[in-house]
Amino acid sequence: MSFTPFKLAISAEMVFLDLPFTERVKRIHALGFSVEIWNWTTKDIQALAATGADFTSMTGYISGNLTDPEDIRQLLDSAQESLTVAAQLGCPSLNLHGTGLGDQGLPVKPVAQTTGRMWLNACKTLEKIAHLGEDAGRVFLLENLNTEVDHPGTPFARADDTLALIEAVGSPHLKMNLDLYHAQIGEGNLIELIQRAGSAIGEIQVADVPGRMEPGTGEIHYPAIARALFGMGYSGVVGLEGWASGDSEVALERFRQAFTLDG
């Protein structure tokens, strides 16, 4: 007998692109998936809440970064605003990056090299973020990114970097959004990576390499990833943050099949 031990979610930013955003959310919900969104400031939050969809993740800030005093204040203030929206949507997790991202995912303030002081500031900032999450009963997720293809100049981007920061903070309200598309490009050795991250994982995001499309379109053998996650006791969110190679509904079904196990 086949079963899916994970909560499967879809980024509404990347599929059903011919539909208005709220209609995308309705379609994803109707197909039995949870929903993830990016920048909430461009959305009709009341309309999204009215869809009845299960929202698992949303971007947890508007501007700012982890290291520069004025930008830290912006990050904390916008994280607080984001928590208010998360409550409206019933969304348990809010996503963060090593720095603010602008157009095409490029860092607003690119960094050539992270210094020791930047690491210390990032850790202190994330401690404050975790306290905000604790007060609101939410979890912030720090996502790893790749700097080779999609996000050059982003500090704290590697999975090893994000994991080190999360372990240093040591709060259940700050976890890792382990994006395996980004990790495959930047680091590889994915099964060893997820096992090393272990309880620090708050969500797994996926797309295939190259192309950032649904499982089965590239080099990552996602059924093996699914077995490894199940074997280590992970039963949380697995989110498809990738483009559809063709028909969006077919792409979602391929994603579901990749994370369906034989009993």
Side-chain angles (χ1 to χ4, degrees), residues 223-237:
I225 299 290
R227 290 193 296 272
L229 287 168
F230 180 67
M232 61 184 273
Y234 182 79
S235 59
V237 175

Side-chain angles (χ1 to χ4, degrees), residues 14-33:
M14 303 179 80
V15 296
F16 299 116
L17 299 181
D18 57 323
L19 297 177
F21 196 84
T22 301
E23 295 304 312
R24 297 183 206 175
V25 170
K26 290 179 181 178
R27 179 72 67 86
I28 292 167
H29 176 55
L31 291 169
F33 296 93

Side-chain angles (χ1 to χ4, degrees), residues 191-213:
I191 289 178
E192 192 276 336
L193 174 59
I194 62 176
Q195 291 172 340
R196 186 168 78 250
S199 61
I201 298 172
E203 177 176 342
I204 296 286
Q205 285 189 335
V206 305
D208 222 330
V209 177
R212 201 175 187 181
M213 293 181 285

Side-chain angles (χ1 to χ4, degrees), residues 65-80:
N65 64 39
L66 299 173
T67 57
D68 303 317
E70 180 57 35
D71 294 314
I72 289 170
R73 175 46 51 196
Q74 290 180 32
L75 179 68
L76 294 173
D77 288 346
S78 63
Q80 189 68 69

